[in-house]
Amino acid sequence: MSEGKTGLPGVPPADLPKDLIDLDGLSERQITTVLDTAMAFREVSEREIKKVPTLRGKLAVLLFHENSTRTRLSFEIAAKRLSADTLAISASGSSMSKGETLLDTAKNILAMRPDALVVRHSASGVPKFLGDRLPCPVLNAGDGAHAHPTQALLDLLTLRIHKGRIRDLDVAVVGDIAHSRVARSDMVGLRKMGAKVRVAGPPSMLVPGLEEEYGVKVYDRIEPAVEGADAVIMLRVQLERQKGSLFPSSREYARVYGMNLERLKLLAPDGVILHPGPVNQGVEMTPEVFESGRSLILRQVTNGVAVRMALLYLMVESPEGPPPEPRQSR
Amino acid sequence: MPSHILLKDGEIHDRATDMRGPGEILATDGVISKIGPPGSVVPPGDGSENLTVLSLKGLLIFPGFIDMHVHLRTPGQEHKEDPETGLSAALAGGITSVLAMPNTIPPVDNACVVESLVHKGEKLRKARLLVSCALTRNREGRELNEYDEMREAGAVAATDDGSWVRDSSVMRMAIDYAHTCGLAALSHPEDTSLSGKGVVNEGRISARLGLAGIPREAEEIAIYRDISLSGLSGKPLHLCHLSTAEGVALVERAKNAGIPVTAETAPHYLFLTEAEVAGYDTNAKMNPPLRTPRDVLALREGIRKGTIDVIASDHAPHGVLDKEREFADASFGIIGLETIAALSFELFRELGLPLDLLSEVLHANPARVLKRPVGLAPGNPADITVIDPEKEWTYRVAEGRSKSRNSPFDGRTFTGKAVMTIVDGEVREDSR
């Protein structure tokens, strides 16, 4: 595995940017390489010994300023299956809750000399802030309402596996488009890979200019958006931050925008349902939809590990990768 | 023995005294004594008096620039700025007078604080320090302050800048009573029930970056209310830091209807757009936020037509930790004392606007609003700004005199620089 960073037959080197902040900066070719690499790592997770030595001796710091069980676990599992050491820092119980500034946090992480930093933060722009100040790769695990690139990549991988392609698929994204980092990254990723994207949500959850900015079609009802769709991504409703201002109640939301068996019939015959999780059962979708064979939600979780393994592998400098840049002597 | 200073060989641009071209100025004991065409100003002549002659060949002479929107952060936040560094930055930027905003900690809402600031300014002998007091007690928008006592202590204006006075009855009384007491009333137009937790202009950029937006309407609703109240009382009201095209249109309509409002904008709204925020640059985070190219054009047109009366910097110093942090939590504002004159000069050159209009927006209009002496007329304090129109220079914020470093104009190269700042007939800055 020394010729180029994938070392996989037929997969060209990715040449990814130092940091993964959002998908805006990636080309279709780069995204394809990440997905191809992830396909190879999916196999690792099926083995009896689910571990490769690729990142042995490397340290991945997982900085989670916002609660997130599944994304953190997914990154942690990905890093461990690559044999990297991991260190998870969460906001509560760390100095961040004692009033440490972000600049302090950056300087302290720098002093620990990690080989990768995975960051989840409630404020948009924090991964960029840290990436600009740290020499190691920074992977955005979700920042504010800005971006969640690894989620979008695992959605793309899931679609590619189950639909055989992404180009020309009709994909609908339903829910709080305005405040969702998942929606933003999905729209960018899907458009870059050639899918046709429709979005739907109450007007209070749409922002003006989506059509021009992202090249998507906008609907304020769910039915026309999902009609004939090959896939529908149902976004999580942030119940904790709604308080009746964006829509009257979660009951009303479920009635107007929720996915149920009746609406499922509107999709293309083999249309599938995705959701970034965790699902508010009975709000975004009924339990029947969740349990139906059309839901790929748990496959997404599995694919998430593969995508994150691929990214860590491609972005972290490793002995098995290309020779490191010449360094200044200490 | 009287002391004289004679400025000759320069080009004077002062619409207030109708001087537009080569001319000479004589100041005696800090006060302008004569102004006229070349050769017409002869110093009083027994040869024994203390006379300084300055030849300003190739340079432009303006009545002293007044920056009527400056946060000196004193009392309370002296780690960001204090009168010494702020007024020294003003001199470096060609500003002879600074109006200090009262949103300090504690706020300037009583005569004691006013007096202490006035005293500090006098002692420093840098740029002239003009003090504005808060409109309402503790800047809470509920009760009026004791304007008359604060005016007597030296305040020239009253404003709750940083906050809008939401209660319309309180604002109505404030406009009325400030006028009665001889203070200029200034408003910070922002309907905070609409701007909420927004941090950037609501639109493409806020959507792209996942940041909470501030709709332009938050400003326009407030401007409309303020204009209505000025019309209702018939008393003047000055609107601070306009940033939107519709705001300019509202002011234009009000002026045509004879309502005595004046309006101000800042250089950053004349040069920058929301696009600067891309990459989460907190030096592009201001309140009101940077808007769109359409707004920039409308504000520029407002300057040309005189709808916008004043350019002021909204100098808002912040420490490193206030700015170098999560975008949503970073402080609003940028410093501007050292760049306002150069940016304004660049704007006028770019738009081909007459330089005597520059004397209006940077001197005469602020002076009128604040009821200060207008123009280079005999009897007025000899406050003078001299600009070298051809001097090329690069603004380096790290070398600036402000205590703070938050400027999006760092590294910008200018043609045209304020090279001499005269206050009370004293040359307090000379970098010719």
Side-chain angles (χ1 to χ4, degrees):
Chain A
M1 286 222 248
S2 59
E3 296 301 315
K5 194 61 206 270
T6 74
L8 304 165
V11 180
D15 302 324
L16 295 181
K18 177 179 103 54
D19 305 314
L20 181 70
I21 304 300
D22 52 37
L23 293 187
D24 299 75
L26 296 192
S27 64
E28 182 184 347
R29 188 186 60 78
Q30 287 171 318
I31 292 174
T32 302
T33 303
V34 172
L35 300 183
D36 290 348
T37 310
M39 286 302 286
F41 279 115
R42 255 165 59 95
E43 181 267 324
V44 173
S45 297
E46 303 298 328
R47 295 182 192 168
E48 198 179 338
I49 306 289
K50 303 177 178 58
K51 203 162 187 173
V52 290
T54 318
L55 295 184
R56 195 165 46 205
K58 299 287 170 182
L59 172 65
V61 171
L62 313 178
L63 179 69
F64 276 69
H65 176 270
E66 200 180 53
N67 288 334
S68 152
T69 311
R70 60 191 65 208
T71 305
R72 206 196 71 204
L73 276 180
S74 181
F75 266 109
E76 204 160 339
I77 293 169
K80 291 199 157 127
R81 287 189 179 158
L82 293 170
S83 300
D85 298 318
T86 61
L87 181 68
I89 310 173
S90 60
S92 53
S94 79
S95 45
M96 281 186 282
S97 59
K98 296 179 199 155
E100 181 180 282
T101 67
L102 189 60
L103 197 57
D104 274 346
T105 306
K107 287 176 179 165
N108 277 283
I109 292 173
L110 178 61
M112 296 173 203
R113 310 212 181 282
D115 300 291
L117 176 71
V118 175
V119 56
R120 155 72 63 98
H121 204 284
S122 57
S124 300
V126 166
K128 165 99 169 99
F129 180 98
L130 293 172
D132 289 347
R133 286 164 181 78
L134 295 173
C136 70
V138 171
L139 286 85
N140 182 3
D143 64 327
H146 171 228
H148 197 345
T150 61
Q151 177 70 43
L153 289 168
L154 76 87
D155 288 347
L156 292 173
L157 181 65
T158 305
L159 289 175
R160 201 173 84 168
I161 291 168
H162 291 271
K163 292 283 152 196
R165 66 191 161 100
I166 300 167
R167 180 159 298 282
D168 294 329
L169 286 182
D170 278 307
V171 183
V173 184
V174 179
D176 187 354
I177 309 296
H179 306 97
S180 169
R181 55 191 171 215
V182 175
R184 230 177 288 290
S185 289
D186 272 337
M187 289 190 289
V188 173
L190 287 163
R191 292 294 298 134
K192 275 192 196 258
M193 300 308 285
K196 290 176 275 183
V197 181
R198 321 152 176 187
V199 303
S204 56
M205 293 179 169
L206 299 169
V207 282
L210 281 173
E211 287 94 341
E212 307 88 74
E213 194 68 12
Y214 294 98
V216 300
K217 270 196 81 134
V218 179
Y219 300 88
D220 58 9
R221 308 287 295 195
I222 184 172
E223 290 84 0
V226 303
E227 196 171 350
D230 298 302
V232 179
I233 301 174
M234 301 299 297
L235 297 172
R236 181 177 153 75
V237 174
Q238 308 274 329
L239 290 173
E240 56 278 13
R241 69 166 127 121
Q242 298 311 349
K243 299 262 157 61
S245 55
L246 298 182
F247 57 86
S249 67
S250 46
R251 226 178 121 252
E252 177 92 344
Y253 182 88
R255 218 175 67 81
V256 186
Y257 297 99
M259 181 59 70
N260 50 37
L261 290 179
E262 208 48 40
R263 287 183 178 140
L264 195 56
K265 292 181 194 150
L266 296 171
L267 276 61
D270 54 351
V272 294
I273 302 288
L274 284 74
H275 189 293
V279 176
N280 293 300
Q281 301 264 6
V283 183
E284 295 103 62
M285 65 187 72
T286 59
E288 293 78 21
V289 173
F290 184 83
E291 298 297 341
S292 76
R294 309 276 287 278
S295 150
L296 300 179
I297 296 169
L298 295 175
R299 317 273 181 88
Q300 287 174 273
V301 177
T302 309
N303 292 333
V305 174
V307 158
R308 289 166 182 132
M309 285 175 82
L311 288 166
L312 286 169
Y313 168 74
L314 291 170
M315 294 176 69
V316 176
E317 199 178 286
S318 65
E320 268 105 326
E325 298 287 320
R327 286 170 197 253
Q328 305 284 329
S329 57
R330 292 266 154 93
Chain B
M1 194 189 302
S3 146
H4 304 280
I5 175 166
L6 176 63
L7 309 183
K8 46 186 277 191
D9 308 325
E11 204 178 284
I12 303 176
H13 294 276
D14 179 27
R15 190 179 287 185
T17 51
D18 209 19
M19 289 291 296
R20 297 175 182 84
E24 297 175 345
I25 299 171
L26 182 70
T28 304
D29 291 336
V31 174
I32 291 174
S33 45
K34 283 178 190 162
I35 178 166
S40 71
V41 175
V42 184
D46 61 3
S48 66
E49 63 281 286
N50 186 354
L51 171 68
T52 310
V53 179
L54 295 168
S55 171
L56 303 177
K57 203 161 169 45
L59 306 182
L60 311 175
I61 301 171
F62 290 91
F65 291 165
I66 301 170
D67 187 344
M68 66 175 291
H69 203 120
V70 172
H71 297 274
L72 286 184
R73 304 292 187 218
T74 306
Q77 293 179 298
E78 288 85 352
H79 64 288
K80 298 184 176 190
E81 199 77 281
D82 64 29
E84 178 156 13
T85 53
L87 296 174
S88 169
L91 288 180
I95 304 299
T96 58
S97 290
V98 155
L99 181 68
M101 291 292 117
N103 60 337
T104 49
I105 306 170
V108 186
D109 66 353
N110 62 75
C112 294
V113 186
V114 173
E115 230 164 75
S116 99
L117 283 172
V118 169
H119 178 68
K120 272 184 188 158
E122 279 168 0
K123 221 171 63 179
L124 284 167
R125 298 171 70 88
K126 292 187 182 293
R128 191 184 301 280
L129 174 55
L130 306 174
V131 175
S132 60
C133 61
L135 274 175
T136 66
R137 189 144 308 151
N138 207 26
R139 300 181 56 254
E140 285 168 356
R142 288 197 280 268
E143 297 165 58
L144 302 190
N145 285 325
E146 294 158 339
Y147 299 158
D148 197 65
E149 192 186 13
M150 290 198 282
R151 196 253 317 133
E152 202 178 286
V156 300
T159 176
D160 273 1
D161 182 60
S163 311
W164 192 47
V165 177
R166 251 159 107 164
D167 186 312
S168 299
S169 305
V170 171
M171 189 61 182
R172 177 190 183 180
M173 283 190 297
I175 295 171
D176 259 333
Y177 188 56
H179 184 76
T180 304
C181 296
L183 295 180
L186 280 50
S187 175
H188 165 113
E190 177 191 2
D191 182 350
T192 43
S193 65
L194 187 56
S195 57
K197 291 186 175 149
V199 292
V200 289
N201 184 43
E202 182 168 309
R204 291 185 49 177
I205 297 291
S206 66
R208 230 341 136 179
L209 297 180
L211 295 170
I214 301 176
R216 55 181 60 250
E217 286 77 6
E219 182 173 335
E220 291 150 12
I221 288 168
I223 290 174
Y224 188 88
R225 198 279 319 251
D226 285 343
I227 286 172
S228 302
L229 292 181
S230 172
L232 179 61
S233 64
K235 307 281 163 43
L237 178 65
H238 179 77
L239 299 163
C240 297
H241 44 59
L242 263 62
S243 72
T244 77
E246 284 72 16
V248 179
L250 286 170
V251 169
E252 181 168 21
R253 212 182 63 172
K255 287 184 169 183
N256 289 339
I259 297 173
V261 289
T262 49
E264 155 198 311
T265 192
H268 36 279
Y269 303 120
L270 295 164
F271 280 94
L272 307 179
T273 68
E274 58 180 357
E276 298 289 319
V277 179
Y280 299 98
D281 182 356
T282 55
N283 280 335
K285 179 179 176 181
M286 7 253 182
N287 188 22
L290 297 174
R291 307 280 186 187
T292 66
R294 180 174 75 88
D295 298 295
V296 170
L297 291 178
L299 288 162
R300 289 177 164 208
E301 180 63 11
I303 296 280
R304 193 188 64 77
K305 288 171 75 175
T307 311
I308 302 283
D309 303 274
V310 171
I311 299 178
S313 70
D314 200 356
H315 180 81
H318 288 295
V320 173
L321 293 181
D322 304 308
K323 276 296 195 182
E324 232 180 294
R325 60 178 308 156
E326 299 88 332
F327 192 93
D329 301 334
S331 299
F332 288 104
I334 60 165
I335 57 171
L337 278 168
E338 289 166 82
T339 46
I340 176 176
L343 285 166
S344 302
F345 188 72
E346 182 180 322
L347 180 78
F348 271 62
R349 172 129 56 185
E350 198 180 317
L351 300 182
L353 297 177
L355 288 176
D356 64 327
L357 179 60
L358 189 62
S359 76
E360 292 283 292
V361 298
L362 284 176
H363 166 78
N365 290 334
R368 289 179 189 114
V369 171
L370 301 174
K371 303 176 176 67
R372 299 281 310 162
V374 177
L376 295 168
N380 284 348
D383 289 4
I384 291 164
T385 300
V386 179
I387 287 186
D388 180 344
E390 302 308 330
K391 182 153 180 162
E392 287 197 14
W393 65 291
T394 302
Y395 176 56
R396 303 261 180 234
V397 74
E399 294 157 19
R401 290 194 197 164
S402 168
K403 266 189 198 170
S404 294
R405 299 283 176 256
N406 50 312
S407 170
F409 297 111
D410 185 30
R412 191 182 180 103
T413 296
F414 295 93
T415 304
K417 184 180 191 306
V419 290
M420 187 184 280
T421 313
I422 300 172
V423 181
D424 279 335
E426 274 181 22
V427 178
R428 294 193 180 163
E429 185 77 25
D430 187 356
S431 62
R432 281 175 297 164

